[in-house]
């Protein structure tokens, strides 16, 4: 089943999702954004798509309208967008409830949340993207499931409340673990040490954690309650009070968790 | 060049290092530990090795004595061990200075630090283990380099001060990133959600971070300064004040870093 889809947004999700939809055989009828040059950066990646800077979609041929914008922008765009009759309005956020689309003109609303980290500099294989879906309307949910299935083998139906918990877990698993690597990079750079030395450790850590579970995989001074080392590390980090506090707090939480 | 090596310790490093040394053609002459049953768990993995529970190595044929024990135990064991003349005493810690071996009876001392995360439940390929080496004696350093080279293509010579910085970076990159996955597992379990959903995200996050660098790879609500989402997540976590504070502090550090 092929759909006509409009994309509202020009960020990282829109950037990757729009071409993926085309590749799966759907038609991307329009891409909307306030900034025409940003819209054109996305439409350049597509075959024939209208670049739009206004929110009147009353004449659109699309059936599904995907709000792929920042969480803060969802509510305003949902309230202002004018959809054709029977148009389905969905957003792609992990954090925002379905209710937020309740004041829109859409007859049907839903969630189409791709659980992955998207950066423009990095290709995404949508087969590795679980889609988290929600709608109060059964027919809409079936359509979203078909759309997701055309992109990825992983589709899950999830209520907004559970989706928020999932999103928080994803922040820890992705954004925060990446920030731990960032802090490691900075400590190495500060001493002129080659970050390459750490890469085998990082790869083994994550592989092990996914295989054994993080609890069983933990090593290091905190789980050994090695307070001499913890104290020496904390002292070393005193050039940055916030990073030292992060060190202290995570170490304490590891100590408390075992 | 093949060595005769004694291993002092029965922990995760000794567990993996002793068989790897044998496989590389060296002879593990003795394994020492206070607890004979733990010693025997290690010697069971080896061909012909003496299980020792006393520290008198004066008659040992070994040339290199590897203290693979917890950081707290290094100093006591180094002071008590009796080595044959010209025996080289090294420890395997990332955090402890070379000086700590200065009061031992050893003629030569050094560091033989394998930069990797070791758990008994997980096989280690030593080709993925960088060895960080140090000694004040040139001949000793050459021997440690040969020993390391027989196990891994990655050997680096590093002063104790830089090794400590490297170790702190490794704690962030490995122990702390793993703890972020642990917290994610717990949030999922709390809501009865399947942790499998997060695995593609985790794999993509780390692959991306290693390819682009963590700074460029960062995504999520903190880097977007999305305070609505940050606040909602913080509220959600109020069942565990310490985890909520970890969320707040790392988010703040991400905001401050960009």
């Amino acid at each position: 089943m092929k759909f006509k889809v409009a994309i509202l947004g020009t960020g990282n999700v829109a950037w990757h999702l729009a071409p993926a939809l085309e590749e799966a055989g759907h038609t991307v009828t329009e891409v909307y954004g306030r900034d025409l040059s940003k819209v054109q950066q996305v439409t350049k990646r597509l075959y024939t798509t209208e670049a739009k800077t206004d929110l009147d979609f009353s004449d659109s041929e699309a059936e599904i309208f995907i709000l792929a914008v920042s969480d803060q922008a969802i509510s305003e765009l949902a309230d202002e967008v004018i959809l054709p009759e029977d148009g389905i309005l969905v957003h792609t956020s992990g954090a925002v409830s379905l209710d937020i689309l309740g004041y829109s003109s859409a007859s049907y609303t839903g969630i189409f949340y791709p659980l992955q980290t998207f950066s423009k500099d990095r290709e995404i294989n949508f087969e590795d993207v679980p889609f988290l879906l929600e709608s109060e309307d059964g027919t809409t949910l079936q359509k979203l499931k078909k759309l997701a299935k055309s992109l990825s083998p992983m589709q899950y139906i999830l209520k907004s409340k559970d989706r928020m918990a999932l999103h928080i877990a994803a922040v820890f698993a992705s954004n925060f673990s990446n920030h731990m690597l960032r802090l490691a990079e900075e400590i190495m750079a500060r001493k002129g040490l080659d970050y390459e030395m750490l890469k085998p450790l990082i790869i083994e850590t994550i592989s092990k954690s996914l295989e054994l579970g993080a609890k069983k995989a933990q090593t290091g001074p905190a789980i050994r309650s090695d307070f001499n080392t913890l104290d020496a590390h904390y002292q070393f980090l005193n050039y940055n009070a916030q990073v030292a506090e992060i060190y202290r707090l995570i170490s304490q939480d590891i100590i408390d968790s075992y």
Side-chain angles (χ1 to χ4, degrees), chain A residues 8-9 19 52 64 73 92 97 114 116 143 155 176 180 190 196 218 227 237 255:
Chain A
L8 291 80
K52 258 179 92 71
I64 301 176
T92 58
S97 168
Q116 192 46 282
K143 286 181 181 169
Q155 317 105 39
F176 287 1
M180 296 303 109
R190 198 181 162 79
E196 288 297 319
Q218 190 60 282
F227 293 106
L237 293 167
I255 293 167

Side-chain angles (χ1 to χ4, degrees), chain A residues 22-245:
Chain A
E22 269 196 351
E23 243 171 77
H26 309 291
T27 306
V28 178
T29 55
E30 295 103 349
V31 174
Y32 161 85
R34 266 177 302 194
D35 180 338
L36 183 62
S37 71
K38 284 189 181 171
V39 175
Q40 285 168 338
Q41 280 169 33
V42 178
T43 55
K44 246 194 287 183
R45 294 164 62 82
L46 304 170
Y47 290 105
T48 52
T49 299
E50 186 186 341
K52 258 179 92 71
T53 57
D54 74 279
L55 285 164
D56 184 355
F57 285 85
S58 50
D59 292 334
S60 173
E61 291 184 4
E63 180 177 9
I64 301 176
F65 296 79
I66 301 180
L67 272 172
V69 297
S70 72
D71 291 357
Q72 296 101 311
I74 292 173
S75 160
E76 197 186 316
L77 259 68
D79 293 356
E80 288 181 14
V81 66
I82 302 167
L83 298 185
E85 209 176 340
D86 295 340
I88 297 170
L89 184 65
V90 302
H91 74 64
T92 58
S93 166
V96 175
S97 168
L98 179 56
D99 305 341
I100 205 166
L101 304 179
Y103 293 102
S104 72
S105 65
S107 308
Y108 305 105
T109 60
I111 306 289
F112 193 75
Y113 168 41
L115 176 59
Q116 192 46 282
T117 173
F118 296 93
S119 296
K120 282 188 179 140
D121 291 326
R122 171 111 178 154
E123 281 308 303
I124 277 286
N125 181 355
F126 272 87
E127 301 218 332
D128 296 331
V129 181
F131 278 86
L132 289 305
L133 310 173
E134 182 179 5
S135 178
E136 290 185 350
D137 176 68
T139 308
T140 299
L141 196 57
Q142 284 314 308
K143 286 181 181 169
L144 295 180
K145 204 164 172 188
K146 278 175 187 152
L147 187 64
K149 200 173 181 177
S150 71
L151 296 170
S152 160
M154 294 175 277
Q155 317 105 39
Y156 301 88
I157 292 160
L158 210 66
K159 293 273 173 210
S160 287
K161 216 176 157 183
D162 287 337
R163 180 164 34 82
M164 197 209 209
L166 176 73
H167 186 230
I168 297 171
V171 167
F172 278 98
S174 171
N175 308 146
F176 287 1
S177 64
N178 184 63
H179 193 58
M180 296 303 109
L181 302 191
R182 171 88 198 276
L183 294 175
E185 280 179 5
E186 285 181 355
I187 291 162
M188 296 292 277
R190 198 181 162 79
K191 288 282 176 181
L193 296 169
D194 185 358
Y195 184 65
E196 288 297 319
M197 281 196 270
L198 285 175
K199 288 189 175 178
L201 171 69
I202 293 164
I203 292 165
E204 169 63 12
T205 295
I206 303 301
S207 305
K208 181 168 78 166
S209 188
L210 294 180
E211 189 191 309
L212 303 182
K215 185 171 188 180
K216 216 169 175 180
Q218 190 60 282
T219 60
I223 195 174
R224 292 194 304 267
S225 293
D226 176 353
F227 293 106
N228 288 334
T229 298
L230 293 172
D231 195 51
H233 286 185
Y234 185 72
Q235 296 301 328
F236 176 95
L237 293 167
N238 72 5
Y239 62 89
N240 184 328
Q242 189 156 277
V243 173
E245 179 60 11

Side-chain angles (χ1 to χ4, degrees), chain A residues 240-258:
Chain A
N240 184 328
Q242 189 156 277
V243 173
E245 179 60 11
I246 288 173
Y247 185 96
R248 194 195 64 74
L249 196 57
I250 297 176
S251 294
Q252 187 61 53
D253 202 56
I254 293 172
I255 293 167
D256 294 348
S257 297
Y258 290 87

